C-alpha cells in the first residue's frame, strides 16, 4: 500500500521501516532541538501525509529514547485522524536529568497505520455479566 507524503521542509525525510520485521516506521527531525530536563519540546517532522479513511496513525516514542534517556511523547501515545492533513509534529518530554540533544535527521518517533472500526452506541440499563464484573484497579492481582 502507498501513503502519500508531502515534503513541507527542505530537510524532511520520508518515514522508513528500520528493519524488515519492524512494526512501525520512523519519523525524523528536520532541525536541531534540545529537550531540557523535566521539560517538553515540540519537534517537527517536516512532512504531512494522507492517512486512509477508516484508519488512523498511531504515534509512539522510540524505545531507545525511553530506555536510554527517559524521553517519551508528552501525551504518551499520539493519534492522527484520517482527516488531519497538517504537519506531523511530536511533543517529546525528558523525564530524567541532563536533557537530550536531538539533531536534524535523528529518528524522533515511530508510527503505524491501524484500522479504526466505527460503532453505533446503544443506551441500555444493564451490561452482560462477566466473571470480573465491575472489579478494577488491581482487583485481578494475587
Amino acid at each position: 500500500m502507498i501513503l502519500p507524503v508531502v515534503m513541507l521542509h527542505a530537510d524532511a525525510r520520508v518515514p522508513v521501516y528500520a528493519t524488515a520485521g519492524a512494526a512501525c516506521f520512523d519519523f525524523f527531525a528536520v532541525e536541531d532541538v534540545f529537550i531540557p530536563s523535566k521539560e517538553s519540546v515540540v519537534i517537527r517532522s517536516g512532512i504531512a501525509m494522507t492517512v486512509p479513511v477508516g484508519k488512523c496513525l498511531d504515534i509512539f516514542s522510540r524505545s531507545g529514547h525511553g530506555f536510554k534517556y527517559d524521553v517519551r511523547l508528552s501525551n504518551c501515545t499520539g493519534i492522527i485522524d484520517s482527516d488531519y492533513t497538517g504537519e506531523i509534529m511530536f511533543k517529546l518530554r525528558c523525564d530524567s536529568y541532563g536533557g537530550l540533544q536531538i539533531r536534524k535527521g535523528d529518528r524522533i518517533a515511530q508510527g503505524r497505520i491501524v484500522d479504526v472500526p466505527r460503532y453505533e452506541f446503544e443506551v441500555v440499563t444493564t451490561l452482560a455479566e462477566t466473571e470480573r464484573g465491575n472489579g478494577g484497579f488491581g482487583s485481578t492481582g494475587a
Side-chain angles (χ1 to χ4, degrees):
M1 299 205 308
I2 296 174
L3 292 175
V5 176
V6 175
M7 309 304 271
L8 302 172
H9 189 280
D11 295 316
R13 292 178 58 185
V14 174
V16 297
Y17 291 93
T19 67
C24 295
F25 43 86
D26 293 321
F27 290 95
F28 301 90
V30 295
E31 55 199 359
D32 294 343
V33 177
F34 182 72
I35 307 170
S37 176
K38 306 297 182 185
E39 292 187 28
S40 300
V41 175
V42 174
I43 302 173
R44 298 179 55 209
S45 73
I47 67 167
M49 64 187 344
T50 298
V51 176
V53 173
K55 301 187 182 297
C56 74
L57 169 59
D58 286 347
I59 303 292
F60 304 100
S61 295
R62 296 193 61 248
S63 60
H65 282 165
F67 277 96
K68 294 177 186 175
Y69 309 108
D70 291 331
V71 170
R72 61 179 170 82
L73 290 175
S74 63
N75 62 339
C76 296
T77 301
I79 304 287
I80 307 275
D81 300 313
S82 64
D83 56 355
Y84 175 72
T85 58
E87 182 176 2
I88 297 173
M89 296 184 281
F90 311 92
K91 190 171 186 182
L92 297 183
R93 176 171 178 83
C94 182
D95 290 326
S96 67
Y97 294 100
L100 176 64
Q101 178 67 54
I102 301 290
R103 300 276 182 218
K104 178 173 61 174
D106 284 354
R107 294 178 295 164
I108 53 172
Q110 55 187 336
R112 70 175 177 197
I113 303 291
V114 296
D115 291 330
V116 179
R118 301 292 287 197
Y119 294 90
E120 292 183 28
F121 299 92
E122 176 184 4
V123 176
V124 297
T125 57
T126 61
L127 300 176
E129 289 191 30
T130 66
E131 182 179 333
R132 183 177 182 176
N134 64 0
F137 308 104
S139 65
T140 62

